[in-house]
Amino acid sequence: VPTRELAVRVSLLEGGIVLVIADDRSAETRADEIKRDFVANVSHELKTPVGAIQVLSEAVEQAADDPEAIRRFAGRMTRETERLGELVQQIIELSRLQSVDPLIQADVVEVDDIVGAAVARCRELASGRAITLTLAGAQGLRVVGDEDQLTSAVVNLVQNAINYSDPGARVAMSTRAVEDGGDEFVEISVADNGIGIRADDLERIFERFYRVDYDRSRQSGGTGLGLSIVKHVAGAHGGTVNVWSKVGQGSTFTLRLPAYLETEEPEVTALTVP
Ligand code: ADP
């Protein structure tokens, strides 16, 4: 294997020889590999809309005397440009979250504000697909963190719930306080009765650019980065994201964050970025 360093250890044991060939790549090499894969994926993903925009602009040039065709091509160019913009924005968001200190803006945040903002941002998408968004659960819960990051994580979950449900369905958001092993947490859940996810795919959906159905994701404007962003936001806040899903029945994603209790000082203090 020319590109890998392998450690070979030979042991003489009673009755024979044991040859152990171990993959001895350092953690640094693996981190480099992950970075390389990410760059390769990013270039591939960027090439798709850029290529489409190029082809469409050539088509516009050639359709000079056909206004109807020009309008059609221009409409598609707008959609591809929006897609490119969304992709670039999510790539930037993800790289920020993967930096050494992703939580540069932390404060006590009202969970009601997070879910309220998420509902407001998803209302148009929901009504466009005739989906009813409901919100229930405990009020007055608080966490410590970056309100924008947390809102964007919940928005990603709600957008997915809408996009992977049939028109007319219901998406239920709920919040609750839970105690686990003596620690207090806040859970924000987003439940849908949509298409559901197979067990094999469940293990992979939080990977960058992983999509179960590329065409469906692309049609709904998905980038394959949403859940990866959610996972990083959860991690940066000392929390987790879990999923329950059954094909044909739906999915429930639960974001669990350490609760901020009235009596304690925020553990993370806001830093000023120069
Ligand atoms: P995308 O931009 O494609 O939605 P995500 O990272 O948000 O990317 O999600 C990865 C994949 O996980 C999606 O492409 C989809 O196949 C699957 N997925 C995510 N949320 C749901 C859901 N609520 N129901 C069914 N499938 C989902």
Side-chain angles (χ1 to χ4, degrees):
V1 186
T3 55
R4 285 187 179 185
E5 282 177 27
L6 297 178
V8 181
R9 196 172 70 238
V10 183
S11 311
L12 280 173
L13 292 178
E14 211 178 312
I17 296 174
V18 176
L19 186 66
V20 179
I21 303 180
D23 190 344
D24 199 26
R25 290 171 300 157
S26 63
E28 203 180 330
T29 319
R30 274 194 296 277
D32 282 349
E33 228 170 65
I34 292 171
K35 235 184 268 165
R36 244 196 340 266
D37 282 355
F38 183 53
V39 173
N41 279 334
V42 165
S43 352
H44 175 78
E45 298 287 338
L46 288 175
K47 273 181 192 158
T48 313
V50 169
I53 292 167
Q54 198 172 347
V55 169
L56 288 163
S57 53
E58 281 164 16
V60 167
E61 268 174 15
Q62 281 160 21
D65 46 5
D66 185 350
E68 180 45 39
I70 291 178
R71 219 181 351 260
R72 223 174 37 242
F73 293 141
R76 283 171 56 192
M77 262 163 87
T78 305
R79 281 196 296 282
E80 291 296 337
T81 311
E82 281 166 4
R83 186 179 157 66
L84 188 59
E86 174 74 9
L87 192 57
V88 168
Q89 189 254 319
Q90 292 215 323
I91 290 168
I92 294 170
E93 200 171 332
L94 193 57
S95 357
R96 263 200 216 117
L97 285 164
Q98 287 172 325
S99 67
V100 183
D101 183 9
L103 213 57
I104 45 176
Q105 274 291 299
D107 237 319
V108 176
V109 182
E110 303 284 341
V111 172
D112 293 337
D113 291 347
I114 300 172
V115 288
V119 169
R121 272 167 59 182
C122 295
R123 198 168 280 136
E124 204 180 326
L125 179 68
S127 65
R129 304 206 68 225
I131 301 254
T132 310
L133 270 183
T134 65
L135 177 55
Q139 292 184 322
L141 303 174
R142 291 162 150 195
V143 294
V144 174
D146 180 320
E147 188 164 346
D148 288 342
Q149 282 183 20
L150 292 167
T151 305
S152 135
V154 178
V155 166
N156 272 309
L157 294 179
V158 178
Q159 282 175 339
N160 280 346
I162 295 170
N163 287 329
Y164 299 106
S165 291
D166 289 330
R170 176 183 295 263
V171 169
M173 298 172 70
S174 58
T175 51
R176 64 174 191 146
V178 282
E179 201 234 291
D180 189 357
D183 293 319
E184 303 285 338
F185 296 91
V186 167
E187 284 188 350
I188 304 172
S189 295
V190 180
D192 66 61
N193 304 114
I195 59 172
I197 305 160
R198 287 186 321 136
D200 283 357
D201 291 314
L202 266 189
E203 289 171 15
R204 304 203 53 195
I205 51 170
F206 292 95
E207 290 174 19
R208 291 170 301 200
F209 296 117
Y210 188 80
R211 282 160 280 200
V212 177
D213 177 343
Y214 182 87
D215 289 336
R216 181 158 182 160
S217 162
R218 192 175 149 74
Q219 261 168 29
S220 62
T223 59
L225 290 176
L227 287 181
S228 184
I229 289 176
V230 176
K231 191 181 89 178
H232 279 87
V233 170
H237 287 78
T240 53
V241 54
N242 284 302
V243 53
W244 170 92
S245 189
K246 203 153 188 196
V247 173
Q249 281 190 23
S251 314
T252 301
F253 286 80
T254 302
L255 184 62
R256 178 187 267 212
L257 303 162
Y260 168 68
L261 306 172
E262 210 66 54
T263 49
E264 65 187 44
E265 283 294 308
E267 268 177 38
V268 193
T269 44
L271 301 176
T272 316
V273 195

